[in-house]
Amino acid sequence: MTSQLSNVTKIRINKPAADVFEAFVDPDKLAQFWFAGSGRLEQGRTFIWRYEEYNAEVPIYIAELVQNERIVYHWGGENGGNLVTIKLYPEQPSTTVIEVTEQGFDANANSEQLRQDMIGNKEGWTYMLTCLKGYLEFGVKLRASLVF
């Protein structure tokens, strides 16, 4: 039996949940802080997300989309890899906590590889959420500023 682990990353953004949600589902806004998308997100469809600066491309399958509340997708398409859940928690009319949970890490994997995968995943989500915060709160476009 394969045990699976998950990673949770959160940030507070000084914008309403509707603005945060729209930043993910609108490909023009998404491209300002993260991936270039192949279309406006819709439940039950597969989209291609591209990160031209790093020559990366990945299909994502939108398993669930609840306006201003939640986006759930699979990396790698409908039968793909890890499952990502993005939840929005409005704290006030103009403040939202965003929580990203990625699950599907193999707890039975080599311990060093698992450690590296979990750390890299946490770093990636922290970077993306920081870019999102900069974009929504200040209009700053940090996309592809990270050097590997």
Side-chain angles (χ1 to χ4, degrees), residues 44-79:
R45 292 195 49 213
T46 299
F47 297 86
I48 301 297
W49 279 355
R50 292 177 310 284
Y51 217 144
E52 288 92 2
E53 296 87 348
Y54 301 120
N55 197 28
E57 179 176 290
V58 63
I60 62 156
Y61 173 75
I62 306 298
E64 186 178 3
L65 193 68
V66 179
Q67 188 169 353
N68 304 336
E69 291 181 22
R70 179 172 56 257
I71 301 167
V72 180
Y73 67 89
H74 289 274
W75 288 115
E78 188 170 1
N79 299 310

Side-chain angles (χ1 to χ4, degrees), residues 2-3 11 20 32 53 58 67 76 90 99 110 117 121 128 136 140 143:
T2 301
S3 252
I11 198 167
V20 178
Q32 303 305 308
E53 296 87 348
V58 63
Q67 188 169 353
E99 175 185 276
N110 168 286
D117 289 349
N121 182 263
M128 183 280 291
L136 288 178
V140 176
R143 179 185 159 114

Side-chain angles (χ1 to χ4, degrees), residues 13-24 29 68 88 96 132 135-136:
I13 297 180
N14 295 314
K15 289 292 179 179
D19 291 359
V20 178
F21 183 83
E22 193 62 23
F24 283 100
K29 292 179 181 175
N68 304 336
L88 307 177
T96 305
L132 172 64
Y135 171 65
L136 288 178

Side-chain angles (χ1 to χ4, degrees), residues 7-11 13 33-34 98 100 102 118-134 142 146:
N7 235 343
V8 179
T9 309
K10 298 180 186 182
I11 198 167
I13 297 180
F33 68 93
W34 200 21
I98 180 171
V100 178
E102 183 163 344
M118 297 292 286
I119 289 171
N121 182 263
K122 182 65 122 182
E123 287 174 347
W125 286 118
T126 300
Y127 178 67
M128 183 280 291
L129 290 173
T130 302
C131 291
L132 172 64
K133 183 176 181 73
L142 297 173
L146 184 65

Side-chain angles (χ1 to χ4, degrees), residues 1-6 104-111 114-115 117-118:
M1 182 171 101
T2 301
S3 252
Q4 294 195 349
L5 299 174
S6 62
F105 297 94
D106 182 0
N108 298 318
N110 168 286
S111 61
L114 177 61
R115 186 177 77 77
D117 289 349
M118 297 292 286

